[in-house]
Amino acid sequence: MTLASPTHFKADLRAMRFTLYEHLKVDRLFALERFAHLSREECDAVIDQAYRFASEVTGPLNSPGDRAGARLEGGRVTTPPGFREAWKKLFDLGLMPFTIAAEAGGFGGPNAVGVILQELQSGANTAFQM
């Protein structure tokens, strides 16, 4: 695996949580049958996990990934070193399928929380998120 450089990515989780719970009142969704399997604490834990992942995995891949770039050779796309492993880990952690319905293999989380998860990844490494 490629040695990743340090990341300077920071996110204001307090502001994100304020937006989710005080402004958007996302925690009201947990009273609905569709989201009854969730709680604010569980969503906060998922957000914390996404922030750790962005800070420790995708953030450090940002600069080396920009330098290496993706390549198209012989009809195959090759991503920068570390991207493939990071994508696998992102899915293994359940962060990507968070908003996908449980019947379709996801976790069935609210889209508002999914936007926060995407924003964390995009802020740490836009090329990876795209």
Side-chain angles (χ1 to χ4, degrees), residues 38-59:
L38 290 170
S39 68
R40 178 179 176 156
E41 292 77 19
E42 289 169 318
C43 285
D44 283 346
V46 170
I47 291 168
D48 289 342
Q49 180 69 17
Y51 181 66
R52 265 191 310 279
F53 186 82
S55 299
E56 297 172 6
V57 179
T58 54

Side-chain angles (χ1 to χ4, degrees), residues 63-75:
S63 291
D66 282 350
R67 284 191 295 277
R71 295 183 318 279
L72 176 62
E73 297 172 344

Side-chain angles (χ1 to χ4, degrees), residues 68-81 84:
R71 295 183 318 279
L72 176 62
E73 297 172 344
R76 290 183 55 123
V77 175
T78 303
T79 59
R84 177 186 296 257

Side-chain angles (χ1 to χ4, degrees), residues 88-127:
K88 182 177 180 340
K89 186 172 182 179
L90 188 64
F91 274 88
D92 290 348
L93 290 171
L95 297 174
M96 288 305 290
F98 181 77
T99 59
I100 296 172
E103 307 82 53
F107 192 72
N111 285 331
V113 176
V115 169
I116 297 293
L117 303 181
Q118 292 173 9
E119 179 60 27
L120 288 168
Q121 294 310 313
S122 186
N125 190 330
T126 302

